[in-house]
Amino acid sequence: MALRFFQTIPAVVLLILSIVGIILLVLPAKEVEAPPENMYGIVLDAGSSHTSMYIYKWPADKQNGTGIVTQHSECHAKGGGISSYAGVRGGAAESLKVCLEQAVKDIPKSRHHQTPLYLGATAGMRLLKAVNATESDQVLKEVKQKMRSYPFSFKEATILSGSAEGAYGWVTVNYLNENFAKYGFSGRWLHPGRETIGALDLGGASTQITFETSVKVEDSSEMMELTLYGQVYRVYTHSFLCYGQDQFLRRLTAHLIKTQGVNPQIYHPCYPKQFNMSIKLGKDVFNSPCTQSYRPAQFDPQMSVMVVGTGDYHSCQGNVKKIFSFDNCSYSKCSFDRVFQPSVRGRFMAFSAYFFTHKYISHLSNIPITSPSQMEAAIQLVCNMTISEMTEKTKQPEKYMKKVCAVSNFVQVLLTQGYGFNELSFPSISFQEKAGGASVGWALGYMLILSNMVPAESFVLMKALPSGPWAGILFLFITLLLFGVGYLLITIRNTRNKEGMV
């Protein structure tokens, strides 16, 4: 009897385990909606003065063909923009190393090979290509080789057109303000039906204006159609090369040298009183295609010139206006330099150098700048300050403060006389650096458009286990149950036969 008991123990244990396993698998289980993993994308913004890397992420399922993208992290490369490494073999590629190494750490290893990697070069490289196409091609070649050496899905390293840069900036602005899609209380992304916001971008070598318009765009090269979240948007966009703040300052200095002559000392009405600096005529002024029209017939590129600041608002503004051309418009309406522009309408966001200029003059003057008249009053106060007053009040170094008066006057003329903002429309401009935790610029808009090219992964309904493994484990437990029953029956029969023989 004891022998039969011990022989049946393994079969009973097997039966109990099988029954418990089957019960656990077939009992009603709550179905959960399991989102797929995040997708990632990397955009390197190769500007004229520096390179920034932005890592974006979005759920692998998408809304009407466009990913819901958020900024994951960012990195700012040391040194100048990649165009500044022309003639320095390997310099541009090496400048990206620190940020690309950070991307390797920031993105999960399992997603490395699926992460698209892009580099977009802007006005700095556009200028280099205009001056020396061989050098710009060499810089891009070296950058591409460097990017391909990382475990990401390298897509392209290219020079963006000015219109593309403006359009992508417009997409960023409206995305961050939830004008394309908004997360509703129902837990779904909805189209909010809002009017879009115009974008004003001021970089180092170019400036862009982009806004949605319903009027006829008389120059077809300045009109773009974009499709996002199932909606089609028709936008006006124009990029003014050589009107970024760095190139504008070069042009202003070149204009003053042309006016005053090539002398050991020139007076600069836009630089603060008590400020002076030494510059080289070639490297700091005339070695740029933006200053070609101001270049003297004969000059020594190595000649040093002392620039003396006089802090004269009226003289500064007068000289700044001469950089623009407001005549000879061949269209029904122009901004400047014979470029067609419809009247500005609606709200605008001004970012990049606009933000910092607005921040400095507001802080230095203690005047809230919400109208052209307030901006003019604030700039007059700033231009009358000495360099020591400016650095003391802002706690910022001279290299930033020296150009506040000049760039402020430039922004004032650009916005009011160039783009046509007045007392009624100027208050609609919001000066911002970030929105929704993301940096405002063209890179996010670029990633949003490019995310259309990433295959979508749908949500899946799951029990405790995915359907495949769940069915396999259920089959295993049923097999064990049948095996246990068979083993138990055979054990009982064998035991009875032995007892019968006895």
Side-chain angles (χ1 to χ4, degrees):
M1 187 70 180
L3 177 63
R4 184 172 67 180
F5 175 75
F6 284 113
Q7 287 179 330
T8 58
I9 286 177
V12 171
V13 170
L14 194 60
L15 284 172
I16 292 172
L17 288 174
S18 301
I19 292 169
V20 170
I22 292 171
I23 290 173
L24 290 175
L25 283 170
V26 301
L27 278 176
K30 181 181 179 181
E31 290 186 327
V32 294
E33 200 174 51
E37 292 184 58
N38 281 326
M39 301 293 289
Y40 295 85
I42 307 169
V43 179
L44 289 162
D45 175 356
S48 59
S49 57
H50 69 281
T51 298
S52 298
M53 180 192 75
Y54 300 98
I55 298 176
Y56 300 106
K57 65 179 179 181
W58 62 95
D61 73 304
K62 301 181 296 180
Q63 304 298 311
N64 291 330
T66 306
I68 303 299
V69 180
T70 56
Q71 186 171 313
H72 182 62
S73 60
E74 65 182 85
C75 173
H76 300 281
K78 294 181 179 179
I82 61 173
S83 60
S84 67
Y85 294 97
V88 182
R89 293 293 172 260
E94 188 65 22
S95 71
L96 308 179
K97 182 178 178 181
V98 172
C99 286
L100 288 171
E101 292 292 340
Q102 179 178 317
V104 172
K105 299 174 184 176
D106 288 354
I107 297 173
K109 190 174 182 179
S110 62
R111 283 295 191 187
H112 281 178
H113 70 287
Q114 294 173 297
T115 299
L117 173 61
Y118 297 84
L119 179 142
T122 54
M125 285 294 286
R126 291 201 289 271
L127 287 174
L128 178 60
K129 189 173 183 66
V131 175
N132 192 329
T134 302
E135 277 301 324
S136 70
D137 291 344
Q138 179 64 32
V139 168
L140 283 180
K141 180 182 177 182
E142 293 175 2
V143 163
K144 289 175 183 177
Q145 289 176 344
K146 187 69 172 181
M147 294 169 72
R148 286 194 180 100
S149 69
Y150 285 83
F152 305 115
S153 177
F154 171 75
K155 298 298 183 183
E156 67 176 15
T158 188
I159 300 174
L160 295 181
S161 67
S163 58
E165 184 180 357
Y168 293 138
W170 177 85
V171 171
T172 297
V173 164
N174 285 282
Y175 183 85
L176 294 177
N177 283 276
E178 298 185 331
N179 292 330
F180 298 138
K182 181 178 176 63
Y183 200 71
F185 291 111
S186 62
R188 297 181 180 277
W189 289 90
L190 309 170
H191 186 270
R194 299 174 181 166
E195 284 196 1
T196 57
I197 300 174
L200 298 168
D201 186 3
L202 178 57
S206 67
T207 187
Q208 287 73 234
I209 178 171
T210 309
F211 57 97
E212 192 175 7
T213 182
S214 58
V215 305
K216 180 184 177 182
V217 177
E218 297 174 27
D219 185 346
S220 59
S221 66
E222 293 160 358
M223 192 273 288
M224 293 187 72
E225 282 192 354
L226 300 172
T227 301
L228 287 167
Y229 301 95
Q231 301 289 318
V232 178
Y233 299 92
R234 185 173 177 272
V235 299
Y236 165 86
T237 182
H238 189 83
S239 176
F240 292 91
L241 191 60
C242 296
Y243 280 91
Q245 64 168 349
D246 295 337
Q247 290 300 325
F248 155 74
L249 290 172
R250 273 182 176 254
R251 294 174 69 193
L252 182 58
T253 303
H255 164 72
L256 293 172
I257 292 173
K258 184 177 181 180
T259 303
Q260 299 177 29
V262 181
N263 298 310
Q265 182 171 290
I266 66 163
Y267 295 96
H268 202 310
C270 300
Y271 281 156
K273 296 171 185 175
Q274 299 180 357
F275 174 80
N276 56 71
M277 67 177 182
S278 179
I279 60 172
K280 297 279 189 181
L281 288 184
K283 177 173 67 76
D284 299 318
V285 185
F286 294 115
N287 286 0
S288 167
C290 295
T291 56
Q292 188 171 1
S293 62
Y294 303 93
R295 195 173 298 165
Q298 298 290 331
F299 75 99
D300 178 8
Q302 298 302 317
M303 178 180 174
S304 294
V305 172
M306 182 62 66
V307 180
V308 179
T310 61
D312 185 335
Y313 167 76
H314 293 290
S315 178
C316 175
Q317 189 179 76
N319 281 282
V320 167
K321 286 180 181 179
K322 291 177 182 177
I323 305 298
F324 296 80
S325 173
F326 297 107
D327 301 321
N328 304 320
C329 177
S330 58
Y331 300 100
S332 62
K333 184 178 177 60
C334 288
S335 51
F336 56 95
D337 289 3
R338 300 189 295 276
V339 172
F340 168 78
Q341 181 197 298
S343 298
V344 293
R345 56 176 294 275
R347 294 183 296 144
F348 282 77
M349 183 183 292
F351 47 95
S352 300
Y354 279 118
F355 166 77
F356 293 102
T357 302
H358 181 270
K359 174 185 173 183
Y360 286 140
I361 57 178
S362 297
H363 182 62
L364 286 166
S365 66
N366 293 320
I367 295 176
I369 302 167
T370 58
S371 69
S373 56
Q374 287 177 325
M375 173 173 271
E376 182 177 357
I379 295 173
Q380 285 195 52
L381 286 175
V382 170
C383 288
N384 285 330
M385 291 182 177
T386 63
I387 189 66
S388 57
E389 289 174 331
M390 297 172 78
T391 55
E392 176 63 27
K393 190 161 188 176
T394 61
K395 308 302 180 187
Q396 294 291 323
E398 284 190 359
K399 68 177 181 178
Y400 297 130
M401 292 301 99
K402 71 180 182 183
K403 59 186 180 182
V404 173
C405 173
V407 177
S408 298
N409 273 282
F410 168 67
V411 167
Q412 181 185 13
V413 174
L414 177 63
L415 293 179
T416 57
Q417 293 186 245
Y419 296 152
F421 287 97
N422 53 33
E423 293 289 336
L424 291 176
S425 57
F426 191 95
S428 69
I429 303 175
S430 172
F431 296 85
Q432 292 184 222
E433 179 186 17
K434 290 192 173 186
S439 298
V440 183
W442 62 264
L444 175 54
Y446 190 47
M447 191 71 250
L448 282 168
I449 300 297
L450 295 176
S451 68
N452 278 324
M453 300 154 72
V454 181
E457 295 178 11
S458 300
F459 276 75
V460 291
L461 288 177
M462 297 175 60
K463 289 183 179 294
L465 291 169
S467 57
W470 181 84
I473 294 174
L474 178 61
F475 175 78
L476 176 63
F477 277 123
I478 292 173
T479 303
L480 290 174
L481 176 64
L482 295 174
F483 179 79
V485 171
Y487 180 78
L488 182 62
L489 291 175
I490 292 172
T491 301
I492 293 173
R493 188 183 64 182
N494 290 341
T495 304
R496 285 177 177 176
N497 288 340
K498 288 180 181 179
E499 289 177 350
M501 292 174 64
V502 174

